[in-house]
């Protein structure tokens, strides 16, 4: 791993400094990321995004989504520790996370640790709550989170970017990026008419993060005095990402590489007897190669992806110096896919995809140390537009076991414009059937695995509406509203089997229903801009009248952004209601409600024609005591400082590529 990082670092930062970067229409800008959260309506590019200069001082994806209220984060401590996503009362392994259309979820765990996804490596994020495109579904019954990393820019030349971040928890992050774009050759015919060039585009990124997480907390489980405990977690996170694109006209080749290594000492649980050190080592290797070709009638693309994950988990009791637990997991996943779809803007469109998957797992905690599986997956999606309506239908199946069933979905969309109210609207009705097989840990983990688990199966109903009022040439108000209900059979839940062992079981009947609402207001003046967003999420995920563990009934969030010339201010507020941590809903074991306030101020700097941003923020400004996972302490108030600086030398191309920030901006 270290040799690979060193070789690629030398190649990219010393051999190719004269090259330049190419632009992607969904890029978020050179200097600071802009994370886009798309809505479910696929017939238009409906995006809700921050501005081009993102004010957030978050360093990884989980922090960003939590601070802006897009979902519930289950964090096993502060920055750098395990962190999982939960939406609408579902568990972490019910949300599939994709990177450049390739699933990242662990073969063994099912979910993904989003603290291992640095924002510095992410150019765009799309959250799909309904998952009505079958070709983009994986083994999940919940949401889809799509990450995009690639090449950006609008001309030939090069750019470099330096990123620095530090906080008062003694965590330091350094990132460096170089992008380039080069015209390889130019063909000329006998008539001396110049044909299109082959363009080679690349982006290289390096990340180094030193983690300490020094803070104090009051331990309510400690009987002796004083009850204030000091936390210190040593951690180191290193990563490298390379994106290459070779394109000419309607032909395009993409190659993406993601290497990452992390060593982390996990935090203690409150009141834990003795002084133990839990250490986790992660090594990740991800590679994607894609080819695409388009014409007026058809679009073709094919790809190959490989993901390799090595995980070592140790539990050490310092009193006698012996390792109590030493778990090792090595997993390799390979997949190849071919997809074809109709091209052009037609009333009827279709797409079809076929995929083959191979998984290999070596796990010291399985009954059989080595596990291997092969299976195929097929999907078909149809889209028909008629009388200002859009009908979407799709079906997908994994040819894995005799128990595997079809996933299918049916959606009806309609949009229009009310002239007398200056209001545009969109609406969608969705009916879907979901099917998910158990994870390998659910079946084979020792001790606790249950090989008799049944697959999860459910049916979803959802209504979505989107209204936009243009109050004036400077003001706009947008509202989004979702009402949903999902009935699940045989939901898999882990619960204590005895005092020392947990085991999964099937919960026969689970219903998740709720409402999502978002109100966004925008005002654009001559010297300032104000954006206000308020989000309300109400969810009831119950089984036999009891709430599922760690499923809050309410999540509310508010963000206020104000830009005045080169200054930008942001205030965010997130409220999470009470969460039960057991299936019996015992109040004494529940986690109390809490509210977090964050604030950030940013200044744009211009130096010798190049641009930089200096941001300073406070996280948990009111010093709230809270827990995301029962027994794991979270830090109080801390401050964070970030600096972005970019140097670029780009020669504009004849046809400049447009960076789409938000197609609904006015």
């Amino acid at each position: 791993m270290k040799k690979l990082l060193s070789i690629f670092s030398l190649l990219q930062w010393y051999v190719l400094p004269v090259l330049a970067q190419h632009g992607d229409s969904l890029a978020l800008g050179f200097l600071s990321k802009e994370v886009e959260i798309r809505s479910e309506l696929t017939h238009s590019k409906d995006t809700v995004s921050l501005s081009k200069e993102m004010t957030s001082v978050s360093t990884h994806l989980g922090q960003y989504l939590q601070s802006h209220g897009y979902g519930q984060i289950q964090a096993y401590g502060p920055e750098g520790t395990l962190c999982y996503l939960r939406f609408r009362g579902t568990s972490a392994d019910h949300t599939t996370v994709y990177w450049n259309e390739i699933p990242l979820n662990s073969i063994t765990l099912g979910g993904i640790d989003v603290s291992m996804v640095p924002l510095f490596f992410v150019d765009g994020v799309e959250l799909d709550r309904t998952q009505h495109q079958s070709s983009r579904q994986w083994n999940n019954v919940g949401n889809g989170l799509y990450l995009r990393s690639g090449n950006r820019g609008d001309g030939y030349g090069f750019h470099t970017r330096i990123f620095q971040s530090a906080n008062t928890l003694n965590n330091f992050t350094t990132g460096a990026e170089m992008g380039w774009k080069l015209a390889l050759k130019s063909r000329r015919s006998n008539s001396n008419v110049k044909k299109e060039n082959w363009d080679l585009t690349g982006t290289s990124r390096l990340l180094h993060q030193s983690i300490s997480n020094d803070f104090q907390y009051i331990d309510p489980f400690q009987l002796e005095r004083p009850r204030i405990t000091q936390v210190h977690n040593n951690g180191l996170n290193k990563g490298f990402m390379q994106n290459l694109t070779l394109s000419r006209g309607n032909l395009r080749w993409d190659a993406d590489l993601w290497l990452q290594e992390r060593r982390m000492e996990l935090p203690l649980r409150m009141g834990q007897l003795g002084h133990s050190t839990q250490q986790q080592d992660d090594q990740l290797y991800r590679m994607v190669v894609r080819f695409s070709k388009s014409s007026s009638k058809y679009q073709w693309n094919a790809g190959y992806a490989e993901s390799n994950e090595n995980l070592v988990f140790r539990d050490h009791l310092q009193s006698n110096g012996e390792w109590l637990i030493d778990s090792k997991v090595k997993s390799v996943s390979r997949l190849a896919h071919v997809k074809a779809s109709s091209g052009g803007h037609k009333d009827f469109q279709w797409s079809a995809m076929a995929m083959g998957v191979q998984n290999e797992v070596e796990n010291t905690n399985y009954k059989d140390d080595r596990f291997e599986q092969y299976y195929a997956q097929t999907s078909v999606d149809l889209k028909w537009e008629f009388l200002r309506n859009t009908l979407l239908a799709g079906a997908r199946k994994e040819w894995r076991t005799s128990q595997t069933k079809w996933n299918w979905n049916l959606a009806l969309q309609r949009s229009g414009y009310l002239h007398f109210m200056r209001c545009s609207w969109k609406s969608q009705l969705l009916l879907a059937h979901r099917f998910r097989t158990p994870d390998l840990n659910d079946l084979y983990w020792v001790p606790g695995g249950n090989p008799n688990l049944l697959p999860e199966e459910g049916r979803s109903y959802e209504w979505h509406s989107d209204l936009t009022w243009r109050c004036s040439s400077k003001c706009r108000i947008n509202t989004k509203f979702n009402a949903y209900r999902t009935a699940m059979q045989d939901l898999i839940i882990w619960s204590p089997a005895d005092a020392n062992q947990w085991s999964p079981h099937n919960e026969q009947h689970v219903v998740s229903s709720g409402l999502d609402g978002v109100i966004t207001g925008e005002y654009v003046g001559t010297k300032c801009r104000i954006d206000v967003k308020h989000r309300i999420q109400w969810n009831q995920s119950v089984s036999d009248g009891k709430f599922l563990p760690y499923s809050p009934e309410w999540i509310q969030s508010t963000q206020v952004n104000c830009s005045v010339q080169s200054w930008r201010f942001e205030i965010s507020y997130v409220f999470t209601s009470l969460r039960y941590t057991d299936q019996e809903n015992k109040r004494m074991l529940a986690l109390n409600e809490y509210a977090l306030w964050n604030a950030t101020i940013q200044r744009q700097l211009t130096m010798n024609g190049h641009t930089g941003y200096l941001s300073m923020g406070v996280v948990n400004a009111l010093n709230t005591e809270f827990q995301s996972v029962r027994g794991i302490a979270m830090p109080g108030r801390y401050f964070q400082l970030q600096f972005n600086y970019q140097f670029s030398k780009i020669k504009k191309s004849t046809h400049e590529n447009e960076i789409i920030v938000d197609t609904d901006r006015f």
Side-chain angles (χ1 to χ4, degrees):
M1 179 71 176
K2 294 180 180 178
K3 292 182 179 179
L4 284 173
L5 283 172
S6 302
I7 292 172
F8 279 105
S9 301
L10 289 172
L11 286 175
Q12 297 304 322
W13 296 98
Y14 295 98
V15 181
L16 301 174
V18 297
L19 304 178
Q21 177 190 10
H22 173 63
D24 192 302
S25 62
L26 291 176
L28 306 182
F30 291 139
L31 288 172
S32 49
K33 307 289 187 250
E34 172 193 336
V35 178
E36 301 184 50
I37 306 296
R38 290 188 176 182
S39 75
E40 303 84 286
L41 301 182
T42 58
H43 66 281
S44 66
K45 295 179 180 179
D46 180 37
T47 61
V48 180
S49 61
L50 298 178
S51 70
K52 199 171 182 179
E53 300 82 25
M54 192 182 78
T55 315
S56 173
V57 290
S58 304
T59 57
H60 67 75
L61 182 63
Q63 284 182 332
Y64 178 82
L65 293 177
Q66 182 184 44
S67 64
H68 290 81
Y70 286 111
Q72 178 196 0
I73 302 300
Q74 221 173 328
Y76 289 75
E79 184 172 336
T81 55
L82 298 176
C83 184
Y84 294 99
L85 291 171
R86 294 167 59 97
F87 297 97
R88 293 182 173 181
T90 58
S91 62
D93 50 4
H94 288 158
T95 296
T96 305
V97 181
Y98 299 79
W99 173 59
N100 291 345
E101 303 297 330
I102 302 300
L104 299 182
N105 291 49
S106 171
I107 303 172
T108 55
L109 296 174
I112 179 174
D113 179 8
V114 290
S115 69
M116 289 284 285
V117 182
L119 275 186
F120 187 72
F121 282 178
V122 177
D123 297 325
V125 179
E126 177 185 343
L127 174 61
D128 187 352
R129 298 183 184 274
T130 57
Q131 287 280 277
H132 62 247
Q133 281 186 282
S134 296
S135 60
R136 302 183 73 179
Q137 294 174 4
W138 195 252
N139 187 33
N140 70 313
V141 295
N143 304 269
L145 192 67
Y146 305 92
L147 311 179
R148 181 183 293 254
S149 301
N151 302 304
R152 308 184 302 278
D154 58 355
Y156 299 100
F158 74 96
H159 84 272
T160 58
R161 180 166 71 101
I162 302 298
F163 168 80
Q164 293 279 346
S165 176
N167 62 32
T168 52
L169 298 179
N170 288 332
N171 299 329
F172 302 91
T173 305
T174 301
E177 174 183 319
M178 183 183 70
W180 43 270
K181 181 179 180 180
L182 177 67
L184 293 183
K185 62 181 180 178
S186 176
R187 288 187 174 183
R188 294 178 180 271
S189 64
N190 294 332
S191 59
N192 293 326
V193 177
K194 185 177 179 180
K195 293 188 176 181
E196 292 180 291
N197 294 326
W198 281 100
D199 291 334
L200 179 63
T201 312
T203 302
S204 308
R205 307 178 213 202
L206 286 173
L207 178 77
H208 184 279
Q209 184 180 29
S210 175
I211 303 171
S212 294
N213 289 330
D214 291 316
F215 67 95
Q216 293 181 338
Y217 69 93
I218 299 177
D219 193 339
F221 300 100
Q222 295 284 357
L223 300 180
E224 66 274 8
R225 304 287 181 173
R227 298 165 61 188
I228 297 179
T229 304
Q230 176 72 35
V231 174
H232 177 80
N233 307 123
N234 284 324
L236 184 63
N237 186 11
K238 299 182 293 183
F240 170 79
M241 180 176 288
Q242 174 66 63
N243 305 106
L244 290 173
T245 301
L246 180 65
S247 62
R248 189 186 72 177
N250 57 3
L251 296 176
R252 181 182 175 110
W253 291 87
D254 291 279
D256 305 313
L257 178 67
W258 184 348
L259 305 176
Q260 195 162 345
E261 182 178 16
R262 178 182 69 173
R263 170 168 289 189
M264 190 70 195
E265 291 182 359
L266 303 181
L268 302 178
R269 287 187 177 270
M270 294 182 181
Q272 186 172 351
L273 297 177
H275 298 283
S276 68
T277 298
Q278 295 176 321
Q279 188 181 84
Q280 179 174 322
D281 295 342
D282 295 274
Q283 290 184 342
L284 300 177
Y285 162 79
R286 301 178 177 119
M287 183 268 294
V288 182
V289 178
R290 293 167 292 165
F291 168 75
S292 61
K293 182 179 181 180
S294 60
S295 65
S296 59
K297 294 183 178 181
Y298 303 104
Q299 296 178 357
W300 302 86
N301 65 73
Y304 171 81
E306 183 172 322
S307 177
N308 190 319
E309 179 179 7
N310 293 325
L311 170 64
V312 179
F313 180 84
R314 301 183 180 94
D315 196 338
H316 178 60
L317 190 63
Q318 295 179 355
S319 59
N320 57 14
E322 294 181 359
W323 292 102
L324 300 181
I325 300 175
D326 192 349
S327 302
K328 297 181 181 180
V329 179
K330 181 179 180 180
S331 60
V332 180
S333 178
R334 303 179 181 91
L335 63 89
H337 80 276
V338 177
K339 183 178 180 180
S341 59
S342 58
H345 300 280
K346 301 178 181 179
D347 294 338
F348 179 78
Q349 299 181 28
W350 59 269
S351 66
M353 184 185 70
M355 179 184 298
V357 182
Q358 177 198 10
N359 294 328
E360 298 178 6
V361 178
E362 295 180 13
N363 194 329
T364 57
N365 281 88
Y366 285 178
K367 184 176 181 181
D368 298 325
D369 290 345
R370 185 175 178 84
F371 182 87
E372 193 170 5
Q373 64 179 183
Y374 300 85
Y375 63 93
Q377 184 181 120
T378 56
S379 65
V380 177
D381 285 286
L382 305 175
K383 180 180 178 181
W384 181 32
E385 296 183 0
F386 60 99
L387 300 177
R388 299 174 65 182
N389 297 302
T390 303
L391 181 64
L392 300 173
R396 177 186 62 87
K397 185 174 182 179
E398 292 180 355
W399 306 92
R400 187 183 304 204
T401 66
S402 58
Q403 294 179 317
T404 306
K405 298 182 180 180
W406 284 91
N407 279 356
W408 55 265
N409 44 266
L410 186 66
L412 179 63
Q413 302 173 354
R414 184 174 176 83
S415 61
Y417 185 81
L418 302 178
H419 294 275
F420 68 95
M421 295 181 60
R422 303 178 66 183
C423 170
S424 60
W425 61 272
K426 304 171 186 177
S427 183
Q428 173 183 268
L429 290 173
L430 174 72
L431 171 64
H433 179 267
R434 298 285 182 255
F435 183 88
R436 176 181 174 272
T437 56
D439 300 322
L440 298 182
N441 281 7
D442 296 335
L443 298 171
Y444 306 118
W445 186 263
V446 177
N450 183 357
N452 298 318
L453 286 174
L454 298 175
E456 299 172 315
E457 189 173 359
R459 185 161 295 182
S460 300
Y461 310 87
E462 181 159 351
W463 173 62
H464 171 83
S465 68
D466 188 332
L467 300 175
T468 301
W469 290 275
R470 303 199 176 192
C471 309
S472 65
S473 60
K474 297 183 178 181
C475 179
R476 187 185 74 161
I477 297 176
N478 175 263
T479 64
K480 289 183 171 65
F481 182 81
N482 296 273
Y484 60 90
R485 185 181 189 275
T486 301
M488 294 292 301
Q489 297 290 334
D490 298 318
L491 186 72
I492 298 174
I493 296 178
W494 282 73
S495 60
D498 53 45
N500 300 315
Q501 179 178 319
W502 285 60
S503 182
H505 69 278
N506 289 113
E507 198 71 23
Q508 294 299 318
H509 186 65
V510 176
V511 176
S512 176
S513 57
L515 303 172
D516 293 339
V518 184
I519 300 177
T520 304
E522 300 174 352
Y523 171 80
V524 181
T526 55
K527 294 184 178 181
C528 72
R529 177 189 180 116
I530 300 176
D531 298 270
V532 180
K533 178 184 292 185
H534 182 68
R535 181 186 298 272
I536 298 178
Q537 302 175 56
W538 173 75
N539 172 266
Q540 286 192 336
S541 297
V542 296
S543 174
D544 296 330
K546 303 289 187 179
F547 281 91
L548 295 183
Y550 289 100
S551 296
E553 187 174 5
W554 289 95
I555 297 179
Q556 298 186 50
S557 65
T558 302
Q559 290 84 43
V560 179
N561 288 273
C562 180
S563 301
V564 181
Q565 296 180 348
S566 60
W567 290 91
R568 183 182 177 113
F569 309 89
E570 177 183 285
I571 297 177
S572 64
Y573 160 83
V574 180
F575 168 82
T576 304
S577 67
L578 180 139
R579 291 139 294 149
Y580 295 103
T581 61
D582 67 318
Q583 290 184 267
E584 300 300 323
N585 289 180
K586 296 179 181 178
R587 183 61 180 86
M588 64 177 296
L589 300 178
L591 300 181
N592 294 327
E593 60 188 29
Y594 66 91
L596 298 179
W597 288 83
N598 304 323
T600 306
I601 181 172
Q602 183 183 81
R603 175 79 158 95
Q604 179 179 345
L605 307 173
T606 302
M607 295 167 283
N608 298 325
H610 308 292
T611 308
Y613 292 91
L614 181 64
S615 304
M616 183 175 67
V618 55
V619 181
N620 192 3
L622 300 185
N623 204 27
T624 302
E625 292 184 13
F626 71 101
Q627 296 178 52
S628 180
V629 175
R630 186 174 183 270
I632 299 294
M634 299 296 288
R637 177 174 52 243
Y638 65 93
F639 298 88
Q640 189 143 341
L641 183 69
Q642 285 189 2
F643 176 71
N644 273 291
Y645 175 74
Q646 174 178 297
F647 170 82
S648 61
K649 187 176 181 180
I650 296 178
K651 179 181 179 181
K652 299 293 184 179
S653 57
T654 305
H655 301 284
E656 296 185 2
N657 297 327
E658 180 184 4
I659 295 179
I660 300 178
V661 177
D662 190 335
T663 54
D664 274 351
R665 297 283 187 191
F666 56 94

